[in-house]
Amino acid sequence: MFFFAVKRGTPTPVELQKLGLKIAEKWKQLGRRLGVSNERLSEIDHAHAQLSEKGYAMLEVWRQSKGSAATYQALCDALQDEIVLRRDLAETFCYIKGNYFPQYNMWV
C-alpha cells in the first residue's frame, strides 16, 4: 500500500531555496500563512527583484524566526491552505513517499 507521511524536523536551506524557485507569485500568501509579518514581506519585496529570491528570502525569514517550530508540518499546512493552494509543492517538499509496512514500522 502506498502512503504519504509528512517529514519530521525542519526543512534545510537548500530545500527552501528550491521551494523559493517554485512558489513564484504565491510567495506573499505563503509568507502570511507561515506568520511572516506584512512589514517583513514588504521589506523582502523591495530588497529583491526576482520572485524566486523573494520566495527564498521569505522562507529564510520564517525559518530563522520560528527556529525549531519551522517544521515540515507547518510548511505543509501553509502550502495546502485554501489561499495558497499548492498541494503539489507540499507533496514534493514535505512528504515522505513510499510503501509503508506498519507491521515492520518501515518505509521502502
Side-chain angles (χ1 to χ4, degrees), residues 9-103:
T10 59
T12 67
V14 171
E15 289 173 309
L16 296 180
Q17 189 171 15
K18 289 177 183 178
L19 178 57
L21 287 169
K22 302 278 187 189
I23 195 62
E25 71 280 347
K26 294 277 190 166
W27 74 272
K28 277 188 181 180
Q29 290 89 344
L30 178 60
R32 288 185 188 110
R33 302 287 82 66
L34 292 170
V36 178
S37 72
N38 282 328
E39 181 180 314
R40 288 295 279 150
L41 292 174
S42 187
E43 290 171 8
I44 292 165
D45 196 18
H46 292 302
H48 302 280
Q50 295 180 336
L51 285 175
S52 61
E53 288 300 313
K54 292 176 191 214
Y56 174 62
M58 177 276 298
L59 290 164
E60 272 298 307
V61 165
W62 167 68
R63 186 181 68 82
Q64 291 173 7
S65 68
K66 299 294 182 182
S68 63
T71 63
Y72 286 105
Q73 184 65 60
L75 183 58
C76 183
D77 293 344
L79 285 165
Q80 295 182 93
D81 183 87
E82 64 184 335
I83 292 174
V84 180
L85 294 174
R86 292 305 306 260
R87 183 181 176 97
D88 60 321
L89 295 179
E91 290 176 1
T92 300
F93 289 95
C94 303
Y95 285 100
I96 298 168
K97 298 173 195 82
N99 292 309
Y100 180 69
F101 296 94
Q103 66 270 33

